[in-house]
Amino acid sequence: PCQSGQSYQNCCAVYLNGSALAPTAEKLMRSRYTAYVRGDIDYIKKTLAPESAKDFDAAATKKWSREAEWKGLRIVSVEGGQANDQRAVVEF
């Protein structure tokens, strides 16, 4: 679903199933998009920024995720976001 050019099993599956952490900001963005498409709201919750976690409504997010028309993810640009970076910007 994230349109990385790889199959789900070779791309986002290891992040969504908890086998690995997304090592870059772009991979995190792709895995979160895939989680929304698949309705994996637990993954969304686990990968929220701390400042967003307190207001997170899992039921509303799940409903929105099911009702949305997912057309694909296109990464426009990435600034930073490598394994050792503390900040990143992913434009999509």
Side-chain angles (χ1 to χ4, degrees):
C2 76
Q3 296 181 308
S4 68
Q6 299 179 356
S7 70
Y8 170 73
Q9 294 297 8
N10 291 328
C11 185
C12 296
V14 295
Y15 311 129
L16 272 69
N17 72 22
S19 297
L21 296 175
T24 67
E26 181 177 347
K27 288 184 180 187
L28 178 61
M29 177 65 69
R30 289 185 182 283
S31 67
R32 285 177 54 84
Y33 179 86
T34 298
Y36 276 117
V37 171
R38 296 173 62 87
D40 188 344
I41 306 310
D42 288 338
Y43 182 79
I44 297 299
K45 186 173 182 177
K46 287 177 196 171
T47 58
L48 283 172
E51 63 273 12
S52 300
K54 63 181 182 215
D55 296 330
F56 183 70
D57 183 337
T61 303
K62 187 169 191 95
K63 181 180 185 300
W64 174 77
S65 171
R66 278 186 291 203
E67 294 173 355
E69 181 181 345
W70 299 100
K71 295 184 175 191
L73 176 66
R74 184 172 63 91
I75 302 295
V76 176
S77 67
V78 178
E79 295 176 25
Q82 296 305 306
N84 295 322
D85 291 336
Q86 294 297 310
R87 296 187 53 89
V89 175
V90 179
E91 182 180 1
F92 60 98

